[in-house]
Each structure stands twice: as structure tokens, then as C-alpha cells.
């Protein structure tokens, strides 16, 4: 898997940032989902992560946990490391 891009945009009227990570070269969406849950926490409990895509490219978005762009980038790289 490969982190193709990551970005953050502020959500109008709030203090939240929407983080979007594009993951490419995904061979298994099940493995990616497990890695994202390990990294960000369980959706609905620890995070508000959403995943959208189809092999080989997936988009992961979240506002919680609140991370800086550098923290989010490092976390994504660690989560998908071979």
C-alpha cells in the first residue's frame, strides 16, 4: 500500500479539520480496514473515520481523532507500512 496524498481542510463554523488520506495500491480492503481501525480507533466509538473506494484506491476521511497534518501523515505511513 502507498500513501498517495493527505490533506486537511477546516470545517466552516467549527474548530474541526477534515483530514483526507488517499491510499493506493490496496490489494485487500479488509486488511486496510483493520489497519485503519488499529491506527484511528473504532468508527463510532473512538473515531468518525469513513472509508470509500474500491481496490486499488481508497479514500479515508476523519475529523476525530484530531491530529495535525504531520501527525496524521506519520500515522498513515505507519499504519500501511509493510
Amino acid at each position: 500500500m502507498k500513501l498517495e496524498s493527505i490533506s486537511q481542510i477546516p470545517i466552516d463554523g467549527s474548530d474541526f479539520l477534515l483530514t483526507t488520506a488517499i491510499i493506493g495500491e490496496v490489494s485487500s480492503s479488509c486488511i486496510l480496514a483493520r489497519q485503519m481501525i488499529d491506527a484511528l480507533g473504532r468508527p463510532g466509538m473512538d473515531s468518525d473515520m469513513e472509508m470509500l473506494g474500491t481496490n486499488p484506491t481508497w479514500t479515508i476521511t476523519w475529523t476525530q481523532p484530531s491530529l495535525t497534518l504531520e501527525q496524521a501523515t506519520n500515522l498513515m505511513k505507519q499504519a500501511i507500512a509493510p
Side-chain angles (χ1 to χ4, degrees), residues 62-75:
W62 74 91
T63 61
Q64 294 296 320
S66 180
L67 303 168
T68 66
L69 186 57
E70 182 179 352
Q71 289 171 324
T73 301
N74 290 335
L75 185 64

Side-chain angles (χ1 to χ4, degrees), residues 18-82:
L18 177 66
T19 304
T20 302
I22 309 295
I23 310 293
E25 301 177 22
V26 176
S27 59
S28 171
S29 58
C30 293
I31 291 172
L32 176 63
R34 281 197 314 259
Q35 290 170 309
M36 292 300 104
I37 291 169
D38 287 346
L40 297 170
R42 294 178 297 171
M45 301 287 292
D46 307 311
S47 74
D48 60 357
M49 171 186 65
E50 293 184 8
M51 296 177 59
L52 178 66
T54 184
N55 295 344
T57 304
W58 283 80
T59 301
I60 317 300
T61 60
W62 74 91
T63 61
Q64 294 296 320
S66 180
L67 303 168
T68 66
L69 186 57
E70 182 179 352
Q71 289 171 324
T73 301
N74 290 335
L75 185 64
M76 290 295 102
K77 286 180 179 178
Q78 288 174 358
I80 63 174

